Each structure stands twice: as C-alpha cells, then as structure tokens.
Amino acid sequence: MDISKQVAIVSGANRGLGKELALELLARGTKVYAGARNPESIDLPGVIPLQLDITDSQSVMAAAEVASDVTLLINNAGSATGASLLTGELNDIHLEFNTHVFGTLSMIRAFAPVIEKNGEGRY
Ligand SMILES: NC(=O)c1ccc[n+]([C@@H]2O[C@H](COP(=O)([O-])OP(=O)(O)OC[C@H]3O[C@@H](n4cnc5c(N)ncnc54)[C@H](OP(=O)(O)O)[C@@H]3O)[C@@H](O)[C@H]2O)c1
C-alpha cells in the first residue's frame, strides 16, 4: 500500500495516540480527516477536522457522508477505564463497550462501504 495515496480518517485525533497517528500519516503524505467529539480541539495544521462521536450513529453517518473519499479507517477513539469485568463499576464497563466495541463497530459499518467504493480495503 502506498500510504501517500491514501485518504485516512482517524477517530479521536485531537490528543494522545490518535493525534500522533494523524501527524505520522500527514508526514507520509496522506490526506487526513481528524475526527473528534469537539473538532475545535484539533490543532493539527494540514488535517481536515471533523465532528465525530463514535457512540452517536448520526455523527458517524454524517462523518461518512463528508469523508466520502476515505480509503483507510484508523479506529483509535476509545475510553480505557481499567475497570475489572468481574468487579468494576458497571457504568465504566458500559462506557468501554459503547466506545471500544459498539462505537468501533459503528465506524466499521459506516466506512466499509465507503472504502470499498473507493477501491480499497482488505478483509
Ligand atoms: N495508551 C495506551 O497504552 C493504550 C494501550 C492499549 C489500547 N489503547 C487504546 O488506544 C486508543 C488511544 O489511546 P490513548 O492513550 O491515546 O487514549 P486517550 O489519550 O485517552 O485518548 C482517547 C481519545 O479517544 C477519544 N474518544 C473517546 N471517546 C470518544 C467518542 N465517543 N467519540 C470520539 N472520540 C472519542 C478522546 O476524545 P476526547 O478528547 O473528546 O475525550 C481522545 O481523543 C484508545 O482506544 C485506547 O483505549 C491505548
């Protein structure tokens, strides 16, 4: 894969690993949509900021409409509470599943057809 020819979307690109991934992609010549719950928190010159809450299906679908040229999905966004499945707070476990599992799945379901339409994607 020639990364410089890809169009990426990175979820949670406003800080942490997502910001670093977006920066690295930019440095390699990739067009980058930087998704964040609050797009004003994105301070990466060169990326295209995008409102994106992966637990909000309307936000995910709207992002897939705008970023219709995406060929590469980086599912970075998540909430790591560290809660034990056996003894942790159920609210924390709900949060983890809503982001890491269902939010990520929602992104895959929204962007797989986009990536396929754009002639990319691997199973
Ligand atoms: N760092 C590690 O050692 C490590 C190890 C294993 C796995 N991971 C996973 O790798 C990912 C990044 O880690 P990190 O350390 O960079 O985490 P982080 O600093 O806590 O950043 C999490 C990012 O996810 C975003 N986010 C959370 N919920 C979201 C939602 N519903 N919709 C959209 N964005 C959301 C946050 O946005 P806000 O600014 O809006 O909160 C933030 O940008 C996470 O999924 C984490 O669980 C990290």
Side-chain angles (χ1 to χ4, degrees):
M1 176 189 284
D2 181 351
I3 203 78
S4 70
K5 291 193 168 60
Q6 302 299 314
V7 180
I9 180 164
V10 182
S11 63
N14 55 317
R15 62 188 173 93
L17 294 176
K19 184 174 181 180
E20 294 305 316
L21 285 163
L23 268 172
E24 189 60 39
L25 287 165
L26 260 189
R28 293 174 187 224
T30 311
K31 176 177 173 181
V32 179
Y33 291 97
R37 290 191 279 201
N38 174 12
E40 286 171 13
S41 62
I42 293 167
D43 62 348
L44 292 172
V47 303
I48 302 164
L50 206 55
Q51 199 287 329
L52 177 63
D53 181 337
I54 63 167
T55 63
D56 175 346
S57 58
Q58 289 200 343
S59 170
V60 171
M61 293 316 294
E65 289 244 346
V66 172
S68 60
D69 54 345
V70 159
T71 58
L72 181 64
L73 167 62
I74 310 273
N75 263 319
N76 164 78
S79 301
T81 67
S84 157
L85 288 177
L86 207 54
T87 57
E89 287 290 331
L90 262 184
N91 283 345
D92 287 341
I93 295 165
H94 273 287
L95 177 63
E96 293 232 14
F97 274 72
N98 282 339
T99 50
H100 286 129
V101 178
F102 294 110
T104 296
L105 179 60
S106 179
M107 288 292 286
I108 291 168
R109 287 166 61 106
F111 278 95
V114 173
I115 292 169
E116 200 165 20
K117 174 191 67 113
N118 293 324
E120 289 289 346
R122 303 285 183 275
Y123 292 97

